[in-house]
Coordinates of all heavy atoms in Angstrom, one line a residue:
L57 N -8.7 -31.7 39.8 CA -9.0 -31.1 38.6 C -9.7 -29.8 38.8 O -10.8 -29.8 39.3 CB -9.8 -32.1 37.7 CG -10.0 -31.7 36.2 CD1 -8.6 -31.9 35.5 CD2 -11.0 -32.5 35.6
I58 N -9.0 -28.7 38.4 CA -9.6 -27.3 38.7 C -10.1 -26.9 37.4 O -9.5 -26.9 36.4 CB -8.4 -26.4 39.3 CG1 -7.9 -27.1 40.5 CG2 -9.0 -25.0 39.5 CD1 -8.9 -27.0 41.7
S59 N -11.2 -26.2 37.4 CA -11.8 -25.6 36.2 C -11.0 -24.3 35.8 O -10.6 -23.7 36.7 CB -13.3 -25.3 36.3 OG -13.6 -24.3 37.3
A60 N -11.0 -24.0 34.6 CA -10.4 -22.8 34.2 C -11.3 -21.6 34.5 O -12.3 -21.7 34.9 CB -10.0 -22.9 32.6
A61 N -10.6 -20.4 34.3 CA -11.3 -19.3 34.4 C -12.6 -19.2 33.6 O -12.7 -19.9 32.7 CB -10.6 -18.1 34.1
P62 N -13.8 -18.5 34.1 CA -15.0 -18.5 33.4 C -14.8 -18.0 31.9 O -14.0 -17.1 31.7 CB -15.9 -17.5 34.1 CG -15.3 -17.6 35.5 CD -13.8 -17.9 35.3
G63 N -15.4 -18.6 31.0 CA -15.2 -18.4 29.6 C -14.2 -19.1 28.8 O -14.1 -19.1 27.6
R64 N -13.5 -20.0 29.5 CA -12.3 -20.8 28.8 C -12.8 -22.2 29.1 O -13.5 -22.6 30.1 CB -11.1 -20.5 29.6 CG -10.6 -19.1 29.4 CD -9.3 -18.9 30.0 NE -8.3 -19.8 29.4 CZ -7.1 -20.1 29.9 NH1 -6.7 -19.5 31.1 NH2 -6.2 -20.9 29.4
N65 N -12.6 -23.1 28.1 CA -12.9 -24.5 28.1 C -11.8 -25.4 28.6 O -11.8 -26.6 28.4 CB -13.4 -24.9 26.7 CG -14.7 -24.2 26.4 OD1 -15.6 -23.9 27.3 ND2 -14.8 -23.8 25.0
E66 N -10.9 -24.8 29.1 CA -9.7 -25.6 29.5 C -9.8 -26.1 31.0 O -10.4 -25.5 31.7 CB -8.3 -25.0 29.4 CG -8.1 -24.5 28.0 CD -7.0 -23.5 27.9 OE1 -6.1 -23.3 29.0 OE2 -6.7 -22.8 26.9
T67 N -9.2 -27.1 31.3 CA -9.0 -27.6 32.8 C -7.6 -27.9 33.0 O -6.9 -28.3 32.2 CB -9.9 -28.8 33.0 OG1 -9.6 -29.8 32.2 CG2 -11.4 -28.4 32.9
E68 N -7.3 -27.8 34.2 CA -5.9 -28.3 34.6 C -5.9 -29.2 35.7 O -6.7 -29.2 36.6 CB -5.0 -26.9 35.0 CG -5.5 -26.2 36.2 CD -4.6 -25.1 36.6 OE1 -5.1 -24.0 36.2 OE2 -3.8 -25.2 37.4
V69 N -4.8 -30.1 35.7 CA -4.7 -31.1 36.8 C -3.7 -30.4 37.6 O -2.6 -30.2 37.3 CB -4.3 -32.4 36.3 CG1 -4.1 -33.4 37.5 CG2 -5.4 -33.0 35.3
A70 N -4.1 -30.3 39.0 CA -3.2 -29.7 39.9 C -3.1 -30.6 41.2 O -4.1 -31.3 41.5 CB -3.8 -28.3 40.4
P71 N -1.7 -30.6 41.6 CA -1.5 -31.6 42.7 C -2.2 -31.0 44.0 O -2.3 -29.8 44.3 CB -0.1 -31.7 43.0 CG 0.4 -30.4 42.4 CD -0.6 -30.1 41.2
T72 N -2.8 -31.9 44.9 CA -3.4 -31.4 46.1 C -2.4 -31.7 47.2 O -1.3 -32.2 46.9 CB -4.8 -32.2 46.5 OG1 -4.4 -33.5 46.6 CG2 -5.8 -31.9 45.5
Y73 N -2.7 -31.4 48.4 CA -1.9 -31.6 49.4 C -1.6 -33.2 49.8 O -2.4 -33.9 49.4 CB -2.4 -31.1 50.8 CG -2.5 -29.5 50.8 CD1 -3.6 -29.0 51.2 CD2 -1.4 -28.8 50.4 CE1 -3.7 -27.6 51.3 CE2 -1.6 -27.5 50.3 CZ -2.7 -26.8 50.9 OH -2.9 -25.5 50.8
S74 N -0.3 -33.4 50.1 CA 0.0 -34.8 50.4 C -0.8 -35.2 51.6 O -1.3 -34.5 52.5 CB 1.5 -35.0 50.5 OG 1.9 -34.2 51.6
E75 N -0.6 -36.6 52.1 CA -1.2 -37.1 53.1 C -1.2 -36.3 54.4 O -2.1 -36.0 55.3 CB -0.9 -38.6 53.4 CG -1.5 -39.5 52.4 CD -3.0 -39.6 52.4 OE1 -3.6 -39.4 53.5 OE2 -3.6 -39.6 51.4
P76 N 0.1 -35.9 54.9 CA 0.2 -35.2 56.2 C -0.7 -33.9 56.3 O -1.0 -33.5 57.3 CB 1.7 -34.9 56.3 CG 2.4 -35.8 55.3 CD 1.4 -36.2 54.3
T77 N -0.8 -33.2 55.2 CA -1.6 -32.0 55.1 C -3.1 -32.2 55.6 O -3.7 -31.3 56.1 CB -1.4 -31.4 53.8 OG1 -0.1 -31.3 53.4 CG2 -2.0 -30.0 53.8
Y78 N -3.6 -33.4 55.1 CA -5.1 -33.5 55.5 C -5.2 -33.4 57.0 O -6.2 -33.0 57.6 CB -5.5 -34.9 55.1 CG -5.6 -35.0 53.6 CD1 -4.9 -36.0 53.0 CD2 -6.5 -34.2 52.9 CE1 -5.1 -36.1 51.5 CE2 -6.6 -34.4 51.5 CZ -5.9 -35.2 50.9 OH -6.0 -35.4 49.6
R79 N -4.3 -33.8 57.8 CA -4.3 -33.7 59.3 C -4.1 -32.2 59.8 O -4.4 -32.0 60.9 CB -3.2 -34.6 60.0 CG -3.6 -36.0 59.9 CD -2.5 -36.9 60.4 NE -1.8 -37.4 59.3 CZ -0.7 -37.9 59.2 NH1 0.0 -38.0 60.4 NH2 -0.1 -38.4 58.2
A80 N -3.8 -31.3 58.9 CA -3.6 -30.0 59.2 C -4.8 -29.2 59.1 O -4.9 -27.9 59.3 CB -2.5 -29.3 58.3
L81 N -5.9 -29.8 58.7 CA -7.2 -29.2 58.5 C -8.0 -29.5 59.7 O -8.2 -30.7 60.0 CB -7.9 -29.6 57.3 CG -7.2 -29.4 55.9 CD1 -7.9 -30.1 54.8 CD2 -7.0 -28.0 55.7
S82 N -8.7 -28.5 60.3 CA -9.6 -28.8 61.4 C -10.8 -27.9 61.2 O -10.7 -26.6 60.9 CB -9.0 -28.5 62.8 OG -8.6 -27.1 62.9
L83 N -12.0 -28.5 61.2 CA -13.2 -27.8 61.0 C -13.5 -27.2 62.4 O -13.7 -27.7 63.5 CB -14.3 -28.9 60.8 CG -15.7 -28.5 60.6 CD1 -15.7 -27.7 59.3 CD2 -16.6 -29.7 60.4
N84 N -13.7 -25.8 62.2 CA -14.1 -25.0 63.4 C -15.5 -24.9 63.7 O -16.0 -25.1 64.7 CB -13.5 -23.5 63.3 CG -12.0 -23.4 63.3 OD1 -11.4 -24.4 63.8 ND2 -11.4 -22.4 62.8
R85 N -16.3 -24.7 62.6 CA -17.6 -24.5 62.8 C -18.5 -24.7 61.4 O -18.0 -24.3 60.4 CB -18.0 -23.0 63.2 CG -19.5 -22.8 63.5 CD -19.7 -21.4 64.1 NE -21.1 -21.3 64.2 CZ -21.7 -20.3 64.8 NH1 -21.0 -19.5 65.5 NH2 -23.0 -20.4 64.9
Q86 N -19.6 -25.4 61.5 CA -20.3 -25.7 60.2 C -21.8 -25.6 60.6 O -22.3 -26.0 61.6 CB -20.0 -27.1 59.8 CG -20.7 -27.4 58.5 CD -20.3 -28.9 58.0 OE1 -19.7 -29.5 58.7 NE2 -20.8 -29.2 56.8
T87 N -22.6 -24.8 59.6 CA -23.9 -24.7 59.7 C -24.3 -24.8 58.3 O -23.5 -25.1 57.4 CB -24.4 -23.3 60.1 OG1 -23.9 -22.3 59.3 CG2 -23.8 -23.0 61.6
N88 N -25.6 -24.7 58.0 CA -26.1 -24.8 56.6 C -25.6 -23.8 55.7 O -25.5 -23.8 54.4 CB -27.7 -24.8 56.6 CG -28.2 -26.2 57.1 OD1 -27.4 -27.2 57.2 ND2 -29.5 -26.1 57.5
V89 N -25.2 -22.6 56.3 CA -24.8 -21.5 55.5 C -23.4 -20.9 55.7 O -23.0 -19.9 55.2 CB -25.9 -20.3 55.6 CG1 -27.2 -20.6 55.1 CG2 -26.0 -19.7 57.0
R90 N -22.7 -21.7 56.6 CA -21.3 -21.2 57.0 C -20.5 -22.4 57.3 O -20.8 -23.4 58.0 CB -21.3 -20.3 58.1 CG -20.1 -19.5 58.5 CD -20.3 -18.5 59.5 NE -19.2 -17.7 59.7 CZ -18.1 -18.0 60.5 NH1 -18.0 -19.2 61.0 NH2 -17.2 -17.1 60.6
L91 N -19.3 -22.4 56.8 CA -18.2 -23.3 57.2 C -16.9 -22.7 57.5 O -16.4 -21.8 56.6 CB -18.1 -24.3 55.9 CG -17.0 -25.3 56.1 CD1 -17.2 -26.4 57.0 CD2 -16.7 -26.0 54.6
S92 N -16.3 -23.0 58.6 CA -15.0 -22.4 59.0 C -14.0 -23.4 59.1 O -14.3 -24.5 59.8 CB -15.2 -21.5 60.2 OG -14.0 -21.0 60.6
V93 N -12.9 -23.3 58.5 CA -11.8 -24.4 58.6 C -10.5 -23.7 59.0 O -10.1 -22.7 58.3 CB -11.6 -25.1 57.2 CG1 -10.7 -26.2 57.3 CG2 -12.9 -25.7 56.8
A94 N -9.7 -24.3 59.9 CA -8.3 -23.8 60.2 C -7.4 -24.7 59.4 O -7.5 -25.9 59.3 CB -8.1 -24.0 61.8
I95 N -6.4 -24.0 58.7 CA -5.5 -24.7 57.8 C -4.1 -24.4 58.3 O -3.7 -23.2 58.6 CB -5.8 -24.2 56.4 CG1 -7.1 -24.3 55.9 CG2 -4.7 -24.9 55.7 CD1 -7.5 -23.6 54.7
D96 N -3.3 -25.4 58.4 CA -1.8 -25.3 58.6 C -1.2 -26.0 57.4 O -0.9 -27.2 57.5 CB -1.4 -25.9 59.9 CG 0.1 -25.6 60.2 OD1 0.7 -24.8 59.3 OD2 0.5 -26.0 61.2
A97 N -1.0 -25.2 56.4 CA -0.5 -25.9 55.0 C 1.0 -25.8 54.9 O 1.6 -24.8 55.1 CB -1.1 -25.1 53.9
P98 N 1.6 -27.1 54.8 CA 3.1 -27.1 54.8 C 3.6 -26.7 53.4 O 4.7 -26.4 53.1 CB 3.3 -28.6 54.9 CG 2.1 -29.3 54.5 CD 1.0 -28.4 55.0
T99 N 2.8 -26.5 52.4 CA 3.1 -26.1 51.0 C 1.8 -25.4 50.5 O 0.8 -25.5 51.0 CB 3.4 -27.3 50.0 OG1 2.3 -28.1 49.9 CG2 4.6 -28.0 50.5
E100 N 1.9 -24.7 49.4 CA 0.8 -24.2 48.7 C 0.0 -25.3 47.9 O 0.6 -26.2 47.6 CB 1.2 -23.1 47.8 CG 2.0 -23.5 46.5 CD 2.3 -22.3 45.6 OE1 2.4 -21.1 46.0 OE2 2.5 -22.6 44.4
G101 N -1.2 -25.0 47.8 CA -2.2 -25.9 47.1 C -3.5 -25.7 47.2 O -3.8 -24.4 47.2
W102 N -4.4 -26.7 47.1 CA -5.9 -26.5 47.1 C -6.5 -27.1 48.3 O -6.1 -28.2 48.8 CB -6.3 -27.1 45.8 CG -5.8 -26.5 44.7 CD1 -4.8 -26.9 43.9 CD2 -6.4 -25.3 43.8 NE1 -4.5 -26.1 42.7 CE2 -5.6 -25.1 42.8 CE3 -7.4 -24.5 44.2 CZ2 -5.7 -24.1 42.0 CZ3 -7.6 -23.5 43.2 CH2 -6.8 -23.3 42.1
V103 N -7.5 -26.3 48.9 CA -8.3 -27.0 49.9 C -9.7 -27.2 49.1 O -10.3 -26.4 48.6 CB -8.5 -25.9 51.0 CG1 -9.6 -26.6 51.9 CG2 -7.3 -25.7 51.8
V104 N -10.0 -28.5 49.0 CA -11.2 -29.0 48.4 C -12.3 -29.4 49.3 O -12.0 -30.3 50.3 CB -10.9 -30.2 47.4 CG1 -12.0 -30.6 46.7 CG2 -9.8 -29.9 46.4
V105 N -13.4 -28.8 49.3 CA -14.5 -29.1 50.1 C -15.5 -29.9 49.3 O -15.9 -29.4 48.2 CB -15.2 -27.9 50.6 CG1 -16.5 -28.2 51.4 CG2 -14.3 -27.1 51.5
T106 N -15.8 -31.1 49.8 CA -16.6 -32.0 48.9 C -18.1 -31.8 48.9 O -18.9 -32.8 48.8 CB -16.3 -33.6 49.1 OG1 -16.5 -33.8 50.6 CG2 -14.9 -33.8 48.7
D107 N -18.6 -30.5 49.3 CA -19.9 -30.2 49.1 C -20.0 -29.7 47.6 O -19.1 -29.4 46.9 CB -20.2 -28.9 49.9 CG -20.4 -29.1 51.5 OD1 -20.5 -30.4 51.8 OD2 -20.3 -28.3 52.3
T108 N -21.3 -29.9 47.1 CA -21.6 -29.5 45.8 C -21.3 -28.1 45.5 O -21.6 -27.2 46.1 CB -23.1 -29.8 45.5 OG1 -23.2 -31.2 45.7 CG2 -23.4 -29.7 44.0
F109 N -20.6 -27.8 44.4 CA -20.4 -26.6 43.8 C -21.7 -26.0 43.5 O -22.4 -26.6 42.7 CB -19.4 -26.5 42.6 CG -19.0 -25.2 42.1 CD1 -17.9 -24.4 42.5 CD2 -19.9 -24.5 41.2 CE1 -17.6 -23.3 42.1 CE2 -19.6 -23.3 40.7 CZ -18.4 -22.6 41.1
Y110 N -22.0 -24.8 44.0 CA -23.3 -24.1 43.7 C -23.1 -22.6 43.9 O -22.4 -22.2 44.7 CB -24.4 -24.8 44.8 CG -25.7 -24.3 44.4 CD1 -26.3 -25.0 43.5 CD2 -26.5 -23.2 45.0 CE1 -27.7 -24.8 43.1 CE2 -27.7 -23.0 44.7 CZ -28.5 -23.7 43.7 OH -29.7 -23.4 43.4
P111 N -23.7 -21.8 43.0 CA -23.6 -20.4 43.0 C -24.2 -19.9 44.3 O -25.2 -20.4 44.8 CB -24.4 -19.9 41.8 CG -24.6 -21.1 41.0 CD -24.5 -22.3 41.7
G112 N -23.7 -18.8 44.8 CA -24.1 -18.1 46.1 C -23.1 -18.4 47.3 O -23.2 -17.6 48.2
W113 N -22.3 -19.3 47.0 CA -21.2 -19.4 48.1 C -20.0 -18.5 47.8 O -19.7 -18.2 46.7 CB -20.6 -20.9 48.0 CG -21.5 -21.9 48.8 CD1 -22.3 -22.7 48.1 CD2 -21.5 -22.1 50.1 NE1 -22.9 -23.6 48.9 CE2 -22.5 -23.2 50.3 CE3 -21.0 -21.5 51.2 CZ2 -22.9 -23.7 51.4 CZ3 -21.4 -22.2 52.5 CH2 -22.4 -23.1 52.5
H114 N -19.5 -18.0 48.9 CA -18.4 -17.0 48.9 C -17.3 -17.4 49.8 O -17.7 -18.1 50.9 CB -18.8 -15.6 49.3 CG -19.9 -14.9 48.5 ND1 -19.6 -14.2 47.4 CD2 -21.3 -15.0 48.4 CE1 -20.6 -13.8 46.8 NE2 -21.7 -14.4 47.3
A115 N -16.0 -17.4 49.5 CA -15.1 -17.9 50.3 C -14.1 -16.7 50.8 O -13.8 -15.7 50.0 CB -14.1 -18.8 49.5
Y116 N -13.7 -16.8 52.0 CA -12.8 -15.8 52.6 C -11.6 -16.5 53.2 O -11.8 -17.3 54.2 CB -13.6 -15.0 53.7 CG -14.9 -14.3 53.1 CD1 -16.0 -15.1 53.1 CD2 -14.8 -13.0 52.5 CE1 -17.1 -14.4 52.6 CE2 -15.9 -12.4 52.0 CZ -17.0 -13.2 52.0 OH -18.3 -12.6 51.4
L117 N -10.4 -16.1 52.7 CA -9.2 -16.6 53.3 C -8.6 -15.6 54.1 O -8.1 -14.6 53.5 CB -8.3 -17.2 52.1 CG -7.1 -18.0 52.6 CD1 -7.4 -19.3 53.3 CD2 -6.1 -18.2 51.4
D118 N -8.5 -15.8 55.3 CA -7.9 -14.8 56.2 C -8.6 -13.5 56.1 O -8.0 -12.4 55.9 CB -6.4 -14.6 56.1 CG -5.7 -16.0 56.3 OD1 -6.1 -16.7 57.2 OD2 -4.6 -16.0 55.6
S119 N -9.9 -13.6 56.0 CA -10.9 -12.4 56.0 C -10.9 -11.6 54.6 O -11.5 -10.6 54.4 CB -10.6 -11.4 57.0 OG -10.7 -12.0 58.4
K120 N -10.2 -12.1 53.5 CA -10.1 -11.6 52.3 C -10.9 -12.6 51.3 O -10.6 -13.6 51.3 CB -8.7 -11.5 51.7 CG -8.0 -10.3 52.3 CD -6.6 -10.2 51.6 CE -5.8 -9.0 52.3 NZ -4.6 -8.9 51.6
E121 N -12.0 -11.9 50.5 CA -12.7 -12.7 49.7 C -11.7 -13.3 48.6 O -11.0 -12.7 48.0 CB -13.8 -11.9 49.0 CG -14.8 -12.9 48.3 CD -16.1 -12.4 47.8 OE1 -16.3 -11.1 48.1 OE2 -17.0 -13.1 47.5
V122 N -11.9 -14.6 48.3 CA -11.1 -15.4 47.3 C -12.0 -16.1 46.4 O -13.2 -16.2 46.6 CB -10.0 -16.3 47.9 CG1 -9.0 -15.5 48.8 CG2 -10.8 -17.4 48.9
T123 N -11.5 -16.5 45.2 CA -12.2 -17.2 44.2 C -12.5 -18.7 44.5 O -11.4 -19.3 45.1 CB -11.5 -17.2 42.8 OG1 -11.3 -15.8 42.5 CG2 -12.3 -17.8 41.7
I124 N -13.6 -19.1 44.4 CA -14.0 -20.5 44.5 C -13.9 -21.1 43.2 O -14.6 -20.8 42.1 CB -15.4 -20.8 45.1 CG1 -15.4 -20.0 46.6 CG2 -15.7 -22.2 45.1 CD1 -16.9 -20.1 47.1
H125 N -13.2 -22.1 43.0 CA -13.0 -22.8 41.8 C -13.8 -24.2 41.8 O -14.0 -24.9 42.9 CB -11.5 -23.2 41.4 CG -10.6 -22.0 41.3 ND1 -10.5 -21.3 40.2 CD2 -10.0 -21.4 42.3 CE1 -9.7 -20.3 40.4 NE2 -9.3 -20.3 41.7
R126 N -14.2 -24.6 40.7 CA -14.9 -25.9 40.5 C -13.8 -26.9 40.5 O -12.9 -26.8 39.8 CB -15.8 -26.0 39.3 CG -16.6 -27.2 39.2 CD -17.2 -27.2 37.8 NE -18.3 -26.1 37.7 CZ -19.7 -26.3 38.1 NH1 -20.0 -27.4 38.6 NH2 -20.4 -25.3 37.9
A127 N -13.9 -28.0 41.4 CA -12.9 -29.0 41.5 C -13.6 -30.4 41.2 O -14.6 -30.6 41.7 CB -12.2 -28.9 42.9

Side-chain angles (χ1 to χ4, degrees):
L57 190 71
I58 302 295
S59 67
R64 296 180 62 194
N65 291 327
E66 302 168 12
T67 55
E68 63 179 89
V69 176
T72 60
Y73 294 134
S74 60
E75 287 298 322
T77 307
Y78 289 120
R79 284 177 262 164
L81 301 176
S82 64
L83 186 63
N84 289 342
R85 183 175 177 164
Q86 181 176 7
T87 65
N88 290 338
V89 294
R90 189 173 193 279
L91 172 68
S92 178
V93 181
I95 303 163
D96 187 4
T99 62
E100 67 178 23
W102 298 93
V103 174
V104 178
V105 176
T106 55
D107 284 344
T108 304
F109 182 94
Y110 193 78
W113 282 99
H114 298 268
Y116 302 88
L117 187 65
D118 299 327
S119 301
K120 290 184 177 180
E121 188 163 14
V122 293
T123 302
I124 300 174
H125 298 273
R126 186 182 294 268

